Amino acid sequence: MNYTADAPAVWDPAFAESDDCLLSTDQCVVRGQYYFVKGLLEIPVIGSDEVFSWGVWVSLSRENFSRLADLWDRRGRETEKPHFGWLTTDLPAYSTTTLNLKTNVHIRPVGERPYVELEPTDHPLAVEQRTGITMDRVQEIAADLFHPSRSEQP
């Protein structure tokens, strides 16, 4: 019920050798100019108490990234207001790119990944976040991710 991206779409493995780049499981910096945080974009599963989640990367301004870093281990950080960001994960289960969708990143208690809320647009991912998905849709997403050639067959 959770699928995750290892790095933002702009990450290149060659960056790992650069002093001005960083990729951890939670944060990413590219060339000392671009800042990313990993969060969960959650989608309710209709008729269930379960939630399907995408582990996605969101770009933040330098100021918001620094603020988040300052609060990373601080109890009570979940009272912080949401931070604007751009989705920087292209999810393969959607025919329309998910790159650069507008988001709000909500910080949660220490030890929990931030919650990524999409701007309420008509993009299929944003619609699914607002209205939920069926278990059949969860299975369709899994099939697309783990067996992409099957979904391309007639």
Side-chain angles (χ1 to χ4, degrees), residues 4 9 16 20 24 36 40 43 46 49 54-55 58 65 87 92 99 103 105 112 114 128 130 141 153:
T4 190
D20 60 352
S24 73
F36 308 89
L40 294 177
I43 302 173
I46 298 167
D49 291 334
W54 291 104
V58 175
F65 183 84
L87 190 63
L99 289 175
T103 70
V105 177
E112 294 183 37
E128 287 181 346
R130 285 193 313 273
I141 290 169
Q153 294 176 356

Side-chain angles (χ1 to χ4, degrees), residues 45-103:
V45 177
I46 298 167
S48 164
D49 291 334
E50 295 191 66
V51 173
F52 176 86
S53 62
W54 291 104
V56 296
W57 291 88
V58 175
S59 68
L60 296 176
S61 69
R62 180 183 182 135
E63 295 76 22
N64 285 341
F65 183 84
S66 293
R67 177 71 180 152
L68 183 63
D70 289 345
L71 296 172
W72 200 254
D73 294 318
R74 190 174 299 165
R75 292 183 67 212
R77 70 184 191 167
E78 62 274 15
T79 61
E80 181 81 359
K81 67 178 178 70
H83 297 282
F84 175 80
W86 298 94
L87 190 63
T88 55
T89 302
D90 196 16
L91 300 173
Y94 299 91
S95 59
T96 306
T97 186
T98 57
L99 289 175
N100 297 318
L101 294 176
K102 293 179 182 179
T103 70

Side-chain angles (χ1 to χ4, degrees), residues 4 9-10 17 19-20 33 35 38 45 52 55 72 80 82 85 88-89 93 98 106 108-109 111 123 127 143 151 153:
T4 190
V10 298
E17 304 301 320
D19 291 338
D20 60 352
Q33 297 177 18
Y35 304 90
K38 191 170 194 177
V45 177
F52 176 86
W72 200 254
E80 181 81 359
T88 55
T89 302
T98 57
H106 299 263
R108 296 194 221 194
H123 188 282
V127 171
S151 62
Q153 294 176 356

